Every structure is written in structure tokens, then in C-alpha cells.
Amino acid sequence: DSGVTQTPKHLITATGQRVTLRCSPRSGDLSVYWYQQSLDQGLQFLIQYYNGEERAKGNILERFSAQQFPDLHSELNLSSLELGDSALYFCASSEGVVAEAFFGQGTRLTVV
Amino acid sequence: AQKVTQAQTEISVVEKEDVTLDCVYETRDTTYYLFWYKQPPSGELVFLIRRNSFDEQNEISGRYSWNFQKSTSSFNFTITASQVVDSAVYFCALHSGGYQKVTFGIGTKLQVIP
């Protein structure tokens, strides 16, 4: 158990809908990272937050947004969902801005 | 721009053989960090090692060893005496210092045959 909690584990939704994925980092970790893993794109870095502030941005679509709250949990919001958004979404956390990251179990999103 | 190349997409070895997974990276930053992660069939990603660009010492941890060579921009991973439990997808990743994104390689799927 990495100590990073992601909910929900599975999510099935229709195209055009909006969903929110939640991540609770390990106790004491200030950084949260979001990744998307799909068969055709591999593991793609989406965004990093550090202590509530956006730290780095990767290949995150404009339809996606994220935030980190004062209690350090984070949410990834995906809107106007398309079939191609079906993927495994991982959250990871680390103590500092660059450190080994501990990954959650992932949320498997299926858009139908 | 950052890039991580794992040229071996799939490797099969017989149990107890040694195997080396290659990782070549590109970055213009002088400060950066390299990682290896393991993703077993169960799906979770497990951190294995972190190396920063100023530390070229090779590292050994049990049956695992890592060879970091800045001259060739490589960070290779060797498993000695492979076991069936080593079967997984292994990812090499690069995180440049500063406000940079994390870049993962495409992964190498290792199958250890009993």
C-alpha cells in the first residue's frame, strides 16, 4: 500500500459528461501529480501541484482541470468527455517538488 | 524538450537469466532526475530508484542494479537471476529540475518464463 488513495476505482460515464477524480496524498507529502495511462499514448504527465499551487503542466487538455486543496487532497475534473478519454488515471504524491513519487491504484475511466 | 526512449518494448527471458533494460534520455537541463518504476500485472506503479544528474554512482539493491552514464545519456537497469515475480512493465522517467514536466518512456514489458 503506497499510502496514496484514489477514488473512485472505476467510473463509467457517457460522452459529453463531466467527472471528478479524487486523490488523497500520503501523509506529509506536499506534491501531487496526475497522469493518464492509455494503450496508445502510454503514461502521460498531466499536471503537478505543490502545496496548493500549480507547479508544472504537461499534456493536459483544456477540458481537464485540477486543483489541490488546503488539506492537500487533489481533484482532477474531466469535462465534455470523449471516447478517447477512456484511460487509467493515476495520482501520485511526493514529499518535495522532485522526489520519488508514490502512486495510487488509479481510477479506470470508461467513456461510452 | 525532454525525451525518454526505451527501445525494447518486450523482452522474454528464462528464469535465472540476467536481463538489462535500456533507457536513453534527452534533456537540455543540467539538473534533472531519473527514475525507474515497475508496473506489475495488478496495475499499480511501484517506485524503484531515483538518480539525480550529479550522482553518477551506480547502485545495487539486491538483484537490481542501475548503471547511470551521463556521457551516453543512459540509465540502464539490470535484473540479476530473474524471477517470475519480476514479470512486469518497467518504466524509465525523467524529471528536469525547475518547473518542468515529468516524461515517461513507453515502458518495457518483461516476461520471465519459468
Side-chain angles (χ1 to χ4, degrees):
Chain A
D1 182 5
S2 67
V4 178
T5 304
Q6 286 188 251
T7 55
K9 285 189 170 49
H10 301 276
L11 199 49
I12 301 175
T13 190
T15 54
Q17 294 298 305
R18 172 190 167 96
V19 297
T20 297
L21 312 184
R22 184 187 167 100
C23 171
S24 294
R26 290 188 321 157
S27 176
D29 284 357
L30 297 178
S31 269
V32 168
Y33 309 75
W34 285 98
Y35 296 89
Q36 179 194 60
Q37 186 176 33
S38 61
L39 282 175
D40 55 343
Q41 296 287 330
L43 255 172
Q44 296 286 318
F45 167 72
L46 297 178
I47 199 163
Q48 178 195 3
Y49 280 85
Y50 178 76
N51 203 20
E53 299 289 325
E54 183 184 300
R55 174 82 184 178
K57 213 168 193 176
N59 302 322
I60 188 165
L61 299 172
E62 283 190 13
R63 300 184 285 108
F64 296 0
S65 65
Q67 55 184 323
Q68 185 180 28
F69 294 88
D71 67 353
L72 300 177
H73 91 271
S74 179
E75 292 181 355
L76 178 67
N77 300 296
L78 315 175
S79 61
S80 302
L81 284 166
E82 302 174 359
L83 295 177
D85 297 327
S86 296
L88 192 53
Y89 290 84
F90 283 106
C91 167
S93 74
S94 66
E95 186 179 3
V97 296
V98 180
E100 54 268 28
F102 294 86
F103 281 74
Q105 299 272 20
T107 293
R108 168 113 16 227
L109 174 66
T110 303
V111 183
V112 297
Chain B
Q2 298 183 139
K3 189 177 178 182
V4 175
T5 301
Q6 294 181 256
Q8 307 145 306
T9 50
E10 289 194 40
I11 302 176
S12 287
V13 298
V14 177
E15 202 171 19
K16 296 184 184 173
E17 284 185 348
D18 299 347
V19 58
T20 295
L21 310 183
D22 298 332
C23 173
V24 174
Y25 63 92
E26 292 177 31
T27 180
R28 292 180 182 173
D29 291 308
T30 54
T31 301
Y32 53 88
Y33 301 83
L34 295 162
F35 301 83
W36 276 95
Y37 290 90
K38 173 182 179 180
Q39 187 174 38
S42 52
E44 74 273 22
L45 278 150
V46 180
F47 163 79
L48 295 178
I49 190 170
R50 178 184 95 161
R51 259 293 170 263
N52 72 52
S53 53
F54 299 108
D55 181 4
E56 285 193 73
Q57 273 193 323
N58 292 327
E59 180 154 338
I60 298 174
S61 176
R63 297 184 297 107
Y64 295 170
S65 62
W66 291 269
N67 182 5
F68 176 30
Q69 291 197 337
K70 282 178 77 170
S71 61
T72 55
S73 297
S74 65
F75 186 42
N76 297 336
F77 173 30
T78 297
I79 302 174
T80 304
S82 59
Q83 299 177 1
V84 173
V85 293
D86 296 326
S87 297
V89 179
Y90 291 86
F91 292 95
C92 180
L94 167 67
H95 191 171
S96 286
Y99 294 81
Q100 296 291 331
K101 64 179 185 177
V102 184
T103 301
F104 275 74
I106 200 158
T108 296
K109 183 175 181 180
L110 173 66
Q111 184 179 17
V112 181
I113 303 164

